[in-house]
Amino acid sequence: MTVDRFRLDGKVALVTGAGSGFGRGIAALFAAFTTAGALLDTMIGFMLGVVMRSSAAAIVGYFVYSLVLPGALVVLAGFQEWFRDLQPWVDVNYALSFLYDDGMTVENWQHIGVTTLVWLWI
């Protein structure tokens, strides 16, 4: 029996006991990152509504932004090597996907900041 057999690397675990201790810390961290992602998506939806000045157009624009554009950008990154390095800096959904991974790095926060700036303010 080796110690490597019991490692959790690459495994998925359900966190229980969110009322106290270690589980509470994990639940709070997950809630904070999930809230940040939902807040940014809400801000983008609001921005589309303000820019388009029509509810129907804003809803269609949001669905194109959230359902069509990510797939198109993934395909573009898959076929065009020059876009592969650029994708984290322009694709909001790709940048936000790191909120749900194990750890956020400074570069991941920079990707979120730049893509949010590009999509919300410019």
Side-chain angles (χ1 to χ4, degrees), residues 48-119:
L48 287 171
V50 169
V51 168
M52 294 185 179
R53 298 181 62 132
S54 166
S55 296
I59 290 170
V60 170
Y62 183 77
F63 281 123
V64 167
Y65 157 79
S66 63
L67 298 175
V68 176
L69 190 60
L73 292 175
V74 166
V75 169
L76 182 62
F79 287 110
Q80 298 295 324
E81 190 173 328
W82 63 268
F83 188 71
R84 204 167 294 140
D85 296 330
L86 186 64
Q87 184 182 13
W89 297 101
V90 295
D91 186 359
V92 177
N93 290 316
Y94 183 81
L96 289 178
S97 69
F98 292 105
L99 283 174
Y100 307 107
D101 285 345
D102 288 340
M104 288 287 292
T105 64
V106 172
E107 188 175 16
N108 296 136
W109 285 112
Q110 291 171 347
H111 292 161
I112 291 173
V114 169
T115 56
T116 303
L117 178 73
V118 167
W119 283 96

Side-chain angles (χ1 to χ4, degrees), residues 8-27:
L8 295 177
D9 211 18
K11 305 292 191 282
V12 176
L14 177 66
V15 177
T16 61
S20 64
F22 188 69
R24 183 177 186 168
I26 291 175

